[in-house]
């Protein structure tokens, strides 16, 4: 090949280095924070209005319908949308096939919900939920149309547009819910409101998506996608079963009223996940996917995400636990007070969920979906018998005990084992990210409890506990929080943050990188290529001699392996 020139088309576009993640993550996180800080608060206000208008029994009936709905949604797009986020450079190739598979699967699931709604409602302890299940089947069908556009927006960190879409969903769903509830249809009002919001979401997300694709299908593309997506879809399905097995057991054993109390406690315990984790979860998967080939950068970004989310969620969970009674009595009214005992232990589960969500994204980013599925199988196998025994013994409080015990004694150790054995992440970085906020949150919980002892009125208990707990947390964790805030600012919001985020990864890949070369590319003589492209396309190590002729330029992503061997 000496003296020859190999022409193979526009290779630079094909093998360009991955987009930089620094400021994209920071901007996406800021918009996610705005989303969490405004829309989540608005959702909270709507839930307060609904709690005043709708009786606990009606809430319990709707929870039965939502349980079926959540399980169906976990399997609606077969886990394939994550492939668009992870394989961001192959979107044009895989998106049409993903669109077809997601839409077909969502249609089948929606049909099954309509057919088996009476059986499922009766099995979960409330035959009144049949109509609501059938209405929510429309939501599942519509989700098939939005899977690809939503993944494309997540891939490109388009959190500003997602904020607008989520706001439109909230406004449309709330308006329809209030109208139907006031007309005397509380359960159907809750169900129809979700479908109305989803219609608006599908229209807007399709319009705002950065790229548009029609359905298509290629078996060559579908086969590896299904190998990645099916274990993930099964994991999502198991996760939904895990998240709803408590509702099924409580509803069947204790009835709709106790289920309504438990649903309130579970919702409050999930605040850290729905508010604080939402800020990072929307950017975690695309970020970890783009740095997954650099162990140093992968560990760095995961530790930053863990530190940020636990710094916010751990103290909230600790204070929710010790102030459960005053919180429910003051905010929701005394008729919801029986939910306080379940909230005490569910708050522990809520804190663990914020951590597990990030580790789940780590396994998806690295393509370890089978490991994720194995963890979920073990989790469900242990949780079901423990949940049945605990609910029979301690009622709705026992459901919280079951969740907290299984997640701390079984699930977290399993994730740590997988992280150590199957990923390049250093566990010492995980430890350093978790221990400071955990210790400070325990101190805050003790201070909050002590501050509530001298008073009796629930509002006074809540106020004094919050002030004492937050001040204690700030004092104990302050020396850790200040360096953390500076580190996050340097990584994600400084103007030179993108360069700082990528340069270590390039240094790991090659020690002889040229300053003028794009990060992530390698030069041998006159050849320029991406090592990841070589590994992915050819899956073999090639020992090649490259000529140093200045006119010779070889792009490995375009040249056939047999040509090199000749």
């Amino acid at each position: 090949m000496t003296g020859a020139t190999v022409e193979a088309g526009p290779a630079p576009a094909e093998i360009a280095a991955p987009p930089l993640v620094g400021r994209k993550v920071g901007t996406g996180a800021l918009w996610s924070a705005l989303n969490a800080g405004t829309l989540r608060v608005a959702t909270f206000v709507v839930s307060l209005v609904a709690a005043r208008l709708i009786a606990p029994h009606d809430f319990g009936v709707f929870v039965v319908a939502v349980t079926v709905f959540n399980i169906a949604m976990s399997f609606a797009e077969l886990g394939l949308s994550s492939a668009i986020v992870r394989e961001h450079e192959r979107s044009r190739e895989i998106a049409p096939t993903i669109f077809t598979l997601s839409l077909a699967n969502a249609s089948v699931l929606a049909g099954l919900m309509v057919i088996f709604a009476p059986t499922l409602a009766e099995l979960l302890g409330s035959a009144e939920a049949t109509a609501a299940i059938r209405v929510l089947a429309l939501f599942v069908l519509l989700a098939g149309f939005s899977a690809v556009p939503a993944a494309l927006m997540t891939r490109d960190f388009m959190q500003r547009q997602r904020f607008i879409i989520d706001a439109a969903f909230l406004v449309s769903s709330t308006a329809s819910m209030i109208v139907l509830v006031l007309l005397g249809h509380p359960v159907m009002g809750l169900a129809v409101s979700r479908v109305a919001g989803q219609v608006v979401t599908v229209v807007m997300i399709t319009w705002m998506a950065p790229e548009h694709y029609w359905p298509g299908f290629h078996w060559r593309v579908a086969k590896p996608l299904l190998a990645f997506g099916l274990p993930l879809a099964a994991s999502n399905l198991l996760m939904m079963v895990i998240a709803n097995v408590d509702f099924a057991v409580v509803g069947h054993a204790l009835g709709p009223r106790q289920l309504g109390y438990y649903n309130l406690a579970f919702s409050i315990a999930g605040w850290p996940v729905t508010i604080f984790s939402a800020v990072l979860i929307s950017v975690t998967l695309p970020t970890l996917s783009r740095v997954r080939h650099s162990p140093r950068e992968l560990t760095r970004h995961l530790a930053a995400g863990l530190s940020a989310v636990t710094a916010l969620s751990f103290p909230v969970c600790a204070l929710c636990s010790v102030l459960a009674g005053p919180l429910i009595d003051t905010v929701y009214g005394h008729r919801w007070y029986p939910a306080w005992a379940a909230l005490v232990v569910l708050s522990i589960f809520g804190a663990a969920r914020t951590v597990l969500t990030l580790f789940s994204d780590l396994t998806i980013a690295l393509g370890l979906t089978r490991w994720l599925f194995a963890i979920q199988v073990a989790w469900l196998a242990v949780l079901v018998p423990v949940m049945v025994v605990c609910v029979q013994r301690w009622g709705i409080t026992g459901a919280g005990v079951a969740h907290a015990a299984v997640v701390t004694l079984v699930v977290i150790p399993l994730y740590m084992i997988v992280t150590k054995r199957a990923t390049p992440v250093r566990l010492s970085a995980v430890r350093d990210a978790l221990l400071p906020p955990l210790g400070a949150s325990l101190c805050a919980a003790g201070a909050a409890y002590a501050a509530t002892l001298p008073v009796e009125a629930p509002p006074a208990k809540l106020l004094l506990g919050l002030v004492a707990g937050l001040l204690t947390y700030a004092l104990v964790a302050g020396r850790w929080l200040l360096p953390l805030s500076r580190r996050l600012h340097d990584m994600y919001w400084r103007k030179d943050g993108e360069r700082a985020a990528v340069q270590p990864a390039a240094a790991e890949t090659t020690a002889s990188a040229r300053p003028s070369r794009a990060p992530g590319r390698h030069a041998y003589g006159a050849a320029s290529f991406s090592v990841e492209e070589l590994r992915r396309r050819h899956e073999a190590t090639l020992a090649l001699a490259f000529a140093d002729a200045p006119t010779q330029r070889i792009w490995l992503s375009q040249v056939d392996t047999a040509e090199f061997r000749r």
Side-chain angles (χ1 to χ4, degrees):
M1 290 174 25
T2 304
T5 300
V6 179
E7 298 292 344
E14 289 290 326
I15 57 178
L20 307 182
V21 298
R23 288 178 63 82
K24 286 186 176 182
V25 176
T27 303
L30 286 176
W31 277 104
S32 295
L34 179 62
N35 191 325
T38 56
L39 298 184
R40 303 294 180 181
V41 171
T43 302
F44 172 69
V45 173
V46 171
S47 69
L48 292 180
V49 174
R52 301 289 180 176
L53 295 176
I54 302 173
H57 175 82
D58 295 325
F59 262 119
V61 172
F62 182 66
V63 168
V64 170
V66 170
T67 300
V68 178
F69 164 77
N70 287 337
I71 294 174
M73 280 298 299
S74 67
F75 210 71
E77 43 85 35
L78 294 174
L80 299 177
S81 61
S82 296
I84 292 179
V85 180
R86 183 174 182 270
E87 304 286 342
H88 55 89
E89 72 281 2
R90 298 179 59 222
S91 299
R92 187 180 301 274
E93 178 185 358
I94 64 178
T97 300
I98 292 177
F99 194 162
T100 299
L101 293 173
S102 299
L103 183 58
N105 189 63
S107 302
V108 172
L109 289 174
L112 292 176
M113 287 178 65
V114 172
I115 294 171
F116 293 104
T119 303
L120 294 171
E122 181 119 10
L123 182 64
L124 294 176
S126 180
E128 302 170 72
T130 299
I133 293 175
R134 286 174 170 163
V135 170
L136 291 175
L138 295 174
F139 191 112
V140 175
L141 177 62
L142 292 170
F145 291 92
S146 63
V148 170
L152 292 170
M153 297 182 75
T154 301
R155 180 202 66 183
D156 291 347
F157 300 93
M158 298 176 64
Q159 304 309 317
R160 180 175 65 87
Q161 292 82 354
R162 291 307 302 264
F163 169 72
I164 297 172
I165 293 169
D166 290 345
F169 176 92
L170 179 65
V171 171
S172 57
S173 61
T174 301
S176 57
M177 180 199 70
I178 292 176
V179 170
L180 288 173
V181 169
L182 292 178
L183 290 176
H185 307 287
V187 178
M188 289 302 294
L190 291 170
V192 172
S193 67
R194 292 203 176 194
V195 176
Q198 181 68 354
V199 171
V200 175
T201 296
V202 170
V203 173
M204 294 186 67
I205 206 169
T206 303
W207 174 49
M208 293 184 177
E211 301 164 13
H212 298 89
Y213 298 97
W214 289 99
F217 187 81
H218 296 283
W219 178 246
R220 175 184 58 82
V221 175
K223 187 175 180 180
L225 283 175
L226 292 173
F228 167 83
L230 287 179
L232 179 57
S235 299
N236 292 338
L237 178 62
L238 287 179
M239 193 64 241
M240 284 296 102
V241 175
I242 290 167
N244 289 281
V245 66
D246 48 356
F247 291 95
V249 173
V250 170
H252 186 76
L254 305 177
R257 186 175 185 84
Q258 290 297 315
L259 182 60
Y261 292 136
Y262 180 77
N263 179 60
L264 178 66
F266 192 90
S267 299
I268 297 173
W271 284 352
V273 175
T274 57
I275 297 177
F276 301 125
S277 293
V279 176
L280 290 180
I281 289 171
S282 58
V283 296
T284 299
L285 181 58
T287 301
L288 296 180
S289 297
R290 297 189 186 204
V291 300
R292 67 183 185 272
H293 303 298
S294 170
R296 178 180 175 182
E297 285 300 291
L298 187 65
T299 300
R300 180 169 171 256
H301 284 281
L302 178 67
L306 282 173
S307 298
V309 74
T310 55
L312 296 171
S313 62
F314 278 12
V316 172
C317 289
L319 294 179
C320 281
S321 181
V322 297
L323 301 175
L327 173 64
I328 292 177
D329 203 332
T330 302
V331 176
Y332 290 94
H334 189 71
R335 68 171 178 169
W336 293 96
Y337 187 75
W340 78 271
L343 177 58
V344 171
V345 284
L346 281 172
S347 296
I348 301 173
F349 177 57
R353 287 172 65 195
T354 61
V355 176
L356 297 182
T357 301
L358 292 179
F359 278 98
S360 176
D361 283 345
L362 172 66
T363 58
I364 296 171
L366 295 178
L368 303 174
T369 53
R370 294 184 180 181
W371 282 98
L372 181 61
F373 176 68
I375 292 175
Q376 311 292 23
V377 169
W379 189 349
L380 182 62
V382 176
L383 179 62
V384 171
V386 174
M387 180 67 65
V388 172
V389 172
C390 290
V391 168
Q392 290 177 347
R393 187 174 182 86
W394 297 300
I396 61 173
T397 306
V401 171
H403 270 311
V406 172
V407 78
T408 54
L409 299 178
V410 177
V411 182
I412 291 179
L414 286 177
Y415 269 106
M416 294 302 102
I417 292 173
V418 171
T419 301
K420 181 178 177 60
R421 295 188 177 183
T423 77
V425 173
R426 294 180 289 106
L427 288 184
S428 59
V430 176
R431 176 201 63 204
D432 294 341
L434 295 180
L435 288 183
L438 178 61
S441 298
L442 293 176
C443 294
Y449 178 75
T452 61
L453 294 178
V455 296
E456 294 294 333
K461 280 180 174 287
L462 181 61
L463 179 61
L464 289 176
L466 287 175
V467 172
L470 293 176
L471 287 177
T472 302
Y473 182 78
L475 291 173
V476 175
R479 295 184 62 183
W480 174 76
L481 290 172
L482 291 177
L484 173 63
S485 63
R486 287 194 294 268
R487 178 158 60 96
L488 294 175
H489 179 269
D490 291 343
M491 289 178 65
Y492 301 123
W493 287 290
R494 283 179 58 181
K495 290 184 179 180
D496 58 345
E498 294 180 353
R499 180 179 300 175
V502 171
Q503 281 179 346
E508 284 184 8
T509 309
T510 175
S512 60
R514 297 179 181 177
S516 61
R517 193 174 69 244
R521 299 184 59 76
H522 292 244
Y524 294 87
S528 177
F529 63 95
S530 165
V531 168
E532 169 56 17
E533 192 70 20
L534 175 63
R535 183 185 299 113
R536 183 172 64 82
R537 296 285 181 93
H538 303 291
E539 300 179 351
T541 302
L542 303 177
L544 302 173
F546 295 101
D548 290 330
T551 59
Q552 183 178 8
R553 185 157 310 259
I554 302 171
W555 304 100
L556 293 186
S557 66
Q558 297 290 330
V559 182
D560 187 80
T561 304
E563 197 64 38
F564 280 110
R565 288 174 176 169
R566 285 197 295 271

